[in-house]
Amino acid sequence: MENEPKQIKMSEALALGALVFAKNFSAPAGEKELENLAPNWFIKTENPENERGAALLKTAAEAKDKAALAAAIKADFEAFAPKFELDSYGYIGEKKVEAFYEKIKFKKPFATLRASHASNMLALLAVIFRQDKDEATHNALGMWLADFVLPSAFLLARDLAKDAKSEYYMALGEFMADYFKHIKSALGLRAEFE
């Protein structure tokens, strides 16, 4: 039917989610981007983080003063910049991430950012989700998540949800926590985080 909403595969939705987070951790959203901010998140789950994130995103999208919101987002971005370096949480090391990239021939899309920066690590996650069509890639996905991304990204999500000042970054924190909880459950990962 022509008027039915287009369904996307879960792997595509998860890849898109990783890219949304990666973009927002590489540069703060500006006024122009905020003018087109959708009031709804594109991934719906039953997790409480998804519900809280949806309420925060709606508040951000409906903000009348986009300049003030952009300023608050920029302040959050600057305050969280050290935490966007996921090796700051102590679970991974920059050299280990660089060695993994070299092994799989991954070129950092955010070339000016470190290998362990959340933007580069989430960009690789998006690539793996898009290519997850066989056992080897699925195993790489599990290893990348368990050995590199979790729990550092989950801790970043919790910090954003708890400590950000703008509804925008608080929403991203809630959605990111929900995102990783969903992935852990869907893939049956044993990685512990909370």
Side-chain angles (χ1 to χ4, degrees), residues 145-181:
L145 284 164
D147 294 350
F148 291 90
V149 179
L150 298 173
S152 302
F154 191 79
L155 292 174
L156 171 60
R158 287 290 188 213
D159 287 347
L160 284 167
K162 182 178 63 138
D163 298 329
K165 306 295 185 237
S166 68
E167 289 89 356
Y168 185 84
Y169 271 113
M170 283 190 285
L172 284 176
E174 293 288 0
F175 287 135
M176 194 165 149
D178 173 58
Y179 175 85
F180 285 113
K181 279 179 136 179

Side-chain angles (χ1 to χ4, degrees), residues 6-7 27 43-44 83 97 108 116 118-119 122 126 171-172 182:
K6 183 181 177 191
Q7 295 279 329
I43 299 174
K44 302 270 188 252
K83 291 185 176 193
V97 177
K108 299 183 305 178
S116 62
S119 294
L122 290 164
L172 284 176
H182 178 74

Side-chain angles (χ1 to χ4, degrees), residues 68-86:
L69 179 57
I73 289 169
K74 185 174 186 222
D76 273 343
F77 178 84
E78 290 168 355
F80 281 94
K83 291 185 176 193
F84 293 152
E85 303 288 349
L86 292 183

Side-chain angles (χ1 to χ4, degrees), residues 1-182:
M1 298 249 154
E2 274 185 47
N3 293 333
E4 287 185 23
K6 183 181 177 191
Q7 295 279 329
I8 62 173
K9 292 186 335 186
M10 183 53 72
S11 60
E12 279 298 315
L14 293 173
L16 181 59
L19 291 175
V20 168
F21 298 130
K23 181 183 181 306
N24 280 284
F25 301 151
S26 69
E31 277 184 71
K32 286 189 178 198
E33 291 168 297
L34 295 173
E35 290 296 333
N36 299 316
L37 182 61
N40 299 309
W41 188 241
F42 59 95
I43 299 174
K44 302 270 188 252
T45 70
E46 299 298 318
N47 292 328
E49 293 88 351
N50 193 278
E51 188 176 315
R52 289 191 301 263
L56 289 161
L57 181 62
K58 187 172 192 261
T59 300
E62 293 173 352
K64 300 285 186 232
D65 188 350
K66 299 297 187 203
L69 179 57
I73 289 169
K74 185 174 186 222
D76 273 343
F77 178 84
E78 290 168 355
F80 281 94
K83 291 185 176 193
F84 293 152
E85 303 288 349
L86 292 183
D87 63 340
S88 69
Y89 288 100
Y91 290 98
I92 56 169
E94 177 72 8
K95 296 287 184 206
K96 185 177 176 184
V97 177
E98 286 173 345
F100 188 81
Y101 288 173
E102 189 173 314
K103 180 180 177 183
I104 64 167
K105 296 176 177 45
F106 176 69
K107 284 206 170 279
K108 299 183 305 178
F110 300 95
T112 61
L113 301 176
R114 296 173 64 231
S116 62
H117 192 281
S119 294
N120 281 317
M121 294 183 71
L122 290 164
L124 176 55
L125 183 59
V127 168
I128 297 172
F129 270 124
R130 286 198 168 134
Q131 295 177 355
D132 186 18
K133 294 172 179 48
D134 58 35
E135 186 176 343
T137 310
H138 194 70
N139 289 339
L141 172 63
M143 185 177 76
W144 181 241
L145 284 164
D147 294 350
F148 291 90
V149 179
L150 298 173
S152 302
F154 191 79
L155 292 174
L156 171 60
R158 287 290 188 213
D159 287 347
L160 284 167
K162 182 178 63 138
D163 298 329
K165 306 295 185 237
S166 68
E167 289 89 356
Y168 185 84
Y169 271 113
M170 283 190 285
L172 284 176
E174 293 288 0
F175 287 135
M176 194 165 149
D178 173 58
Y179 175 85
F180 285 113
K181 279 179 136 179
H182 178 74

